[in-house]
Amino acid sequence: MKSLIKKVPSFSTKTKGKAKSSTEQKELENSPANTETTEESRGEVSSPASPPQLPSLRPLQLGSYNFDTADTTPYIYPSLYDEASTMVDLSNLIYTLTQLRELARNGVLSDPIRSLRVLDLPLPMETAMTVIKGEAELLREVLGDGAHGSTLSALESLTMKEQHAKMKKGAEDDSNNNNTPEDDKSCGLSSWFNTWDGCLGGGFSFDELLDNMCGDALDAKNPEEPASPHNKHRDVSSSMIYHIGDLKSNDELVYAIGVNPAEERITVIFRGSVTKTDFLTDANINLMQAPDPYLVAEGLESEESESAIGIHKGFYDYLFAEKDGLPSKYVEIMKHVEQLVMDDVNRRENYKLYVTGHSLGGALATLFGFYAAARVGTLPLPVTVVSVASPKVGNIAFARMFAEMESQGKIRHLRIANHRDPVTLSPSVSSKKVLAVSAFAFSPLGYLALKASGNLGDERDVFYHTGIKMKLRKEVPIGGQLCELSYSGSSLIAGSTPKALDDIDDQEVIKENNKMKMRSTNDLPMVQYHYGSAYAERIALVENELKELKLNDLYLEKAVWKK
């Protein structure tokens, strides 16, 4: 069978046409307006005699970490498909979970006596499933048939994965401790739930899907689970949600933290954009000088550093800003995560931390994972980030430090992006550079004033992506594949400036998107490619191929660390 996966070369060295020789023309080419055009039209990478110098940036400090052999107690990572699809499901499900809890707080549930249990923490997955089934009619009304079906599809997928992991773990325990995998047939999940626009219901009704998933297990009393030699918590065999930050969901970011014992994973999930505050956060594309993550880990984030990195101000403030005298959301979440790790010796020695989210949630997951990875000694490393439909988070200094952390075995990042999803291609530049481009185009005097004041912006005002990119298509292109895999940091390792856009195809998406915006004010162009359901559909198309791959192998193949 023809492969559906394309592994994109890490660094292209095709040559552009010769530049014009006129001095005046060169000045025009170096103007912000032309710089923007060039950045959005880099389908190829030139091969000069020496790589272009990055502005005022220290040399990279790369390690040579081997993700499979450096751990003293190696963690057995799932396949690329299992990691990607599970995190896509969880990123979608967080929408519905928080919606269900809001309905419970507002007292509009059909069966409040039973359904109010969704507000109790820790929340077993079996309880959450029971509430969803009991509130089927209300959820259909609030979420709509499509989103409601999407929730069920995600739950079904997560349930099957956890049951498979529990059977595998049970077999291992049986060989070591004479425990049988038959001890647990309860309907556990691998984390949370929701779906604001979700995955696909597959054409089944709510009750059909739920009954197929769990049968009579929801109505039966589960037997007491056997104690584990490592973990005496109730969550030894079933996933539990321990923390949900959604009390001020209209004003603050929303997150959930859960533990999956079957897969030995603690997962932080960030919700994507829903409220006005969320969308205002997305729109704040200023680049702020953020503190070095190692200073933050040491509690010295207030100190200025010459190596300060540039991060999207909206995302950074949403995660790190203190409000009403309370700690930041980063501090709040990290406190919960570290407590969960320290509560159990098995978690400290064998678990891994995953961070995920869709859209805005993907950007927050990337930023949280970046800072969490610097907490050496307090968290199990490497931290794994799986961002879904994420916009760009930081500038070139951010991308460089991210690559350093990857090479040192502190973080892994799988960035899932649908073909033609415009959100994943933005923002391109900071508001400072946008202003310079506008001034050059419409006000020559304004442009000269900005130039004189040194506020034109430079390469440090351009946003870049990080991690291993998984680009998913809906249909196989001529001479192509449904899935393309590449490493965003390869050009940095090679000593060159990374491309602002990945390929010519991305340029066409932006051009088409802009044209559609001009023609229509009613609908967001190409928004259907950004929905969580679209991501779940496309992941499913390449399941067989991705089952044969692992994220660690892609790092070893595509991200050859060079000191």
Side-chain angles (χ1 to χ4, degrees):
M1 183 180 71
K2 181 180 178 181
S3 175
L4 300 177
I5 308 296
K6 177 181 179 182
K7 297 183 180 179
V8 180
S10 297
F11 189 65
S12 173
T13 55
K14 297 179 181 178
T15 307
K16 289 183 177 180
K18 294 182 179 179
K20 295 182 180 180
S21 58
S22 168
T23 302
E24 180 179 356
Q25 182 64 30
K26 286 183 179 178
E27 292 177 355
L28 288 174
E29 289 174 351
N30 291 327
S31 69
N34 256 314
T35 300
E36 286 306 297
T37 302
T38 302
E39 285 164 355
E40 293 194 2
S41 60
R42 286 181 188 158
E44 302 170 333
V45 180
S46 60
S47 54
S50 59
Q53 295 299 310
L54 303 179
S56 303
L57 295 174
R58 59 172 174 73
L60 284 173
Q61 299 175 0
L62 296 174
S64 56
Y65 186 81
N66 184 322
F67 284 96
D68 281 330
T69 62
D71 284 339
T72 55
T73 56
Y75 179 85
I76 301 176
Y77 286 100
S79 70
L80 188 61
Y81 171 77
D82 287 332
E83 282 192 309
S85 61
T86 297
M87 295 301 140
V88 167
D89 287 338
L90 295 178
S91 297
N92 287 329
L93 290 175
I94 184 68
Y95 293 102
T96 297
L97 175 60
T98 53
Q99 179 67 68
L100 185 64
R101 284 168 54 86
E102 183 177 355
L103 293 172
R105 284 191 290 265
N106 291 334
V108 297
L109 295 178
S110 304
D111 185 1
I113 295 179
R114 297 182 63 189
S115 298
L116 282 175
R117 289 180 296 172
V118 78
L119 296 178
D120 296 333
L121 294 175
L123 175 64
M125 288 304 100
E126 291 87 348
T127 300
M129 288 283 290
T130 302
V131 174
I132 285 185
K133 184 175 183 179
E135 298 296 335
E137 184 175 348
L138 179 61
L139 288 174
R140 283 195 189 96
E141 181 180 346
V142 174
L143 300 175
D145 289 337
H148 157 260
S150 298
T151 300
L152 290 174
S153 180
L155 287 171
E156 180 186 39
S157 174
L158 293 169
T159 299
M160 291 189 295
K161 289 172 186 172
E162 181 168 5
Q163 288 176 342
H164 179 269
K166 287 161 73 173
M167 290 177 63
K168 182 178 180 181
K169 190 175 181 65
E172 294 173 352
D173 290 341
D174 183 42
S175 62
N176 296 326
N177 304 313
N178 294 321
N179 293 330
T180 65
E182 299 297 324
D183 288 338
D184 183 17
K185 292 185 178 179
S186 62
C187 178
L189 294 186
S190 108
S191 279
W192 313 232
F193 34 124
N194 136 262
T195 282
W196 169 53
D197 49 73
C199 323
L200 279 181
F204 294 99
S205 70
F206 184 91
D207 292 330
E208 285 173 332
L209 272 177
L210 203 54
D211 288 339
N212 287 339
M213 282 189 280
C214 301
D216 297 328
L218 291 172
D219 300 318
K221 182 177 180 180
N222 294 325
E224 183 176 353
E225 294 167 344
S228 165
H230 301 295
N231 191 336
K232 296 182 180 180
H233 287 273
R234 180 186 171 185
D235 67 353
V236 63
S237 295
S238 299
S239 292
M240 300 276 286
I241 305 169
Y242 281 86
H243 303 283
I244 304 175
D246 64 349
L247 289 178
K248 298 180 179 179
S249 60
N250 289 326
D251 301 313
E252 300 175 345
L253 65 82
V254 173
Y255 69 89
I257 307 173
V259 176
N260 183 333
E263 309 220 11
E264 298 184 323
R265 180 178 64 227
I266 297 174
T267 308
V268 178
I269 307 176
F270 290 96
R271 190 185 70 179
S273 298
V274 173
T275 67
K276 179 181 178 181
T277 306
D278 294 335
F279 288 109
L280 289 175
T281 295
D282 295 327
N284 188 357
I285 63 171
N286 289 326
L287 267 170
M288 64 168 291
Q289 292 304 110
D292 186 298
Y294 295 100
L295 293 181
V296 174
E298 296 172 5
L300 304 174
E301 62 268 26
S302 61
E303 296 185 5
E304 294 184 359
S305 170
E306 294 182 358
S307 61
I309 57 178
I311 291 177
H312 186 292
K313 180 172 173 56
F315 302 152
Y316 187 89
D317 285 347
Y318 221 24
L319 187 60
F320 283 97
E322 297 179 358
K323 190 175 182 180
D324 300 328
L326 297 176
S328 69
K329 287 296 178 180
Y330 173 82
V331 171
E332 177 184 319
I333 297 169
M334 186 57 67
K335 181 179 179 180
H336 292 321
V337 170
E338 290 184 336
Q339 188 63 51
L340 285 171
V341 172
M342 297 304 296
D343 273 350
D344 191 278
V345 64
N346 186 41
R347 294 179 193 160
R348 292 196 298 272
E349 295 178 353
N350 300 312
Y351 278 41
K352 291 297 183 184
L353 174 63
Y354 278 68
V355 193
T356 191
H358 169 265
S359 193
L360 166 65
L364 294 172
T366 303
L367 189 54
F368 181 90
F370 176 66
Y371 278 89
R375 301 178 74 88
V376 179
T378 61
L379 293 177
L381 299 180
V383 174
T384 297
V385 175
V386 180
S387 62
V388 184
S390 174
K392 300 173 185 177
V393 174
N395 69 354
I396 193 166
F398 169 76
R400 284 163 54 85
M401 186 169 287
F402 204 103
E404 289 178 338
M405 285 185 167
E406 289 172 312
S407 74
Q408 295 160 7
K410 297 173 182 175
I411 193 167
R412 311 156 73 237
H413 183 195
L414 177 63
R415 179 172 62 86
I416 308 174
N418 272 355
H419 172 55
R420 301 181 70 80
D421 179 354
V423 173
T424 65
L425 305 177
S426 62
S428 55
V429 296
S430 70
S431 54
K432 178 196 286 189
K433 201 158 189 180
V434 170
L435 178 62
V437 173
S438 300
F440 183 85
F442 300 107
S443 175
L445 290 178
Y447 170 72
L448 291 176
L450 288 173
K451 184 175 182 180
S453 63
N455 287 320
L456 289 180
D458 55 28
E459 187 66 31
R460 288 165 292 189
D461 291 290
V462 179
F463 284 90
Y464 293 98
H465 271 308
T466 58
I468 297 287
K469 177 185 177 183
M470 177 190 291
K471 183 175 182 178
L472 300 172
R473 296 177 180 270
K474 185 176 182 179
E475 299 176 348
V476 179
I478 298 176
Q481 289 81 29
L482 285 176
C483 178
E484 297 177 2
L485 300 167
S486 58
Y487 177 53
S488 301
S490 58
S491 54
L492 289 173
I493 295 172
S496 177
T497 304
K499 295 176 289 183
L501 292 177
D502 294 281
D503 52 40
I504 296 177
D505 196 29
D506 289 340
Q507 303 165 30
E508 297 303 320
V509 170
I510 286 184
K511 290 179 182 178
E512 183 179 348
N513 191 54
N514 291 336
K515 289 179 181 178
M516 293 177 69
K517 284 181 180 178
M518 296 176 65
R519 291 197 302 264
S520 173
T521 58
N522 298 323
D523 300 317
L524 291 174
M526 294 186 279
V527 69
Q528 67 269 26
Y529 305 122
H530 184 64
Y531 289 155
S533 56
Y535 277 83
E537 289 174 13
R538 296 190 187 185
I539 282 282
L541 294 176
V542 290
E543 175 179 355
N544 291 335
E545 298 285 328
L546 295 181
K547 282 279 190 182
E548 303 300 319
L549 301 174
K550 286 197 172 186
L551 181 59
N552 289 349
D553 295 334
L554 292 177
Y555 267 109
L556 293 174
E557 174 188 343
K558 309 195 74 61
V560 180
W561 316 121
K562 297 179 181 178
K563 294 187 177 181

